[in-house]
Amino acid sequence: MRTAQHLQSMAIQAAMAQPKDLPKFWRASTTPDQKLDAQLIHWDLIDRFTSGTAGRADLWDWMETGFTYSQLMRLLAEDGTEFTPEAMAAIADQLNTYEAIAQRHARTGRVGFNATELLTARAAASVFDSLIEMDRYGVAEKAAIWSTEQMVHVRRKMLAEACAI
C-alpha cells in the first residue's frame, strides 16, 4: 500500500508539473483513484496503530496526513465551503493529540492510541473521507505540499528535543 509520504511526493511532482499561474479553474482535481488511495491510507494507518504494528514512519505519515487534511479544510473554507463545528472539531482534536502520541513514542518506542485518541482518530478519518471528495482545482495538492513542509519543521523540533535529553 502506498504511504501518505509517497502520495504527497506524487502530489508535489504533479504540482511542479503544473504552471503556477494557471487560473484555479484550469487546475486538475484529485482523480477518483487518488481519492480512494487517500481514503484507504489513513484508515490503514489507524489499523496499524491499533494492531501494534505501527512504527516511527507510520507515526510521521499519520501526522503528515492530518496536516494535509487540516490544510485542505482551511483552503476549502477560504474558497467558500462551509463546515460543521463537529467536522472542524474532529480535525482540531486530532491535531491536538500529536504531541502526546509523539512523546509516548519517544518514551516507550511504541506507536499507538489510548482509547480517547482512537475515538479522535476515527472521527477525524471520517471527516478526511469527506474532505478528499470535495477536492477541486488542485487544492489537495497544495495542502500536501504545505504539510510536507510542516513535517520538516516537526522532525527538526523532535530531533532537537531528543538531542537535548
Side-chain angles (χ1 to χ4, degrees):
M1 172 161 296
R2 294 179 180 163
T3 65
Q5 186 176 8
H6 175 74
L7 283 179
Q8 288 173 344
S9 173
M10 290 176 16
I12 291 169
Q13 291 171 1
M16 288 181 187
Q18 291 184 356
K20 301 273 187 244
D21 57 348
L22 280 178
K24 72 177 185 177
F25 301 105
W26 292 359
R27 294 184 202 134
S29 296
T30 306
T31 68
D33 286 344
Q34 289 171 321
K35 289 178 182 180
L36 179 60
D37 280 349
Q39 290 169 335
L40 293 174
I41 285 169
H42 56 261
W43 286 105
D44 179 61
L45 287 168
I46 291 171
D47 287 343
R48 290 180 196 199
F49 275 57
T50 59
S51 69
T53 60
R56 176 181 293 215
D58 297 314
L59 175 61
W60 295 131
D61 282 351
W62 177 69
M63 291 171 72
E64 193 167 350
T65 299
F67 285 145
T68 298
Y69 282 102
S70 70
Q71 182 69 351
L72 176 57
M73 178 180 263
R74 189 184 71 73
L75 292 171
L76 288 170
E78 283 180 1
D79 199 36
T81 304
E82 292 186 26
F83 296 100
T84 65
E86 294 83 8
M88 293 185 296
I91 302 294
D93 290 348
Q94 177 162 317
L95 295 177
N96 289 332
T97 66
Y98 289 173
E99 188 171 349
I101 293 170
Q103 288 176 350
R104 185 180 315 123
H105 172 262
R107 277 192 325 273
T108 66
R110 184 179 160 275
V111 177
F113 298 126
N114 64 30
T116 303
E117 293 162 347
L118 175 59
L119 293 174
T120 299
R122 287 179 176 164
S126 294
V127 174
F128 294 168
D129 285 349
S130 299
L131 286 174
I132 196 66
E133 289 297 330
M134 294 179 199
D135 179 45
R136 58 187 181 271
Y137 315 129
V139 175
E141 288 179 13
K142 285 183 181 181
I145 292 166
W146 177 87
S147 69
T148 301
E149 293 168 358
Q150 296 308 302
M151 285 306 295
V152 168
H153 299 294
V154 169
R155 287 184 177 120
R156 282 185 189 149
K157 179 182 176 189
M158 296 297 289
L159 181 59
E161 289 174 2
C163 291
I165 294 176

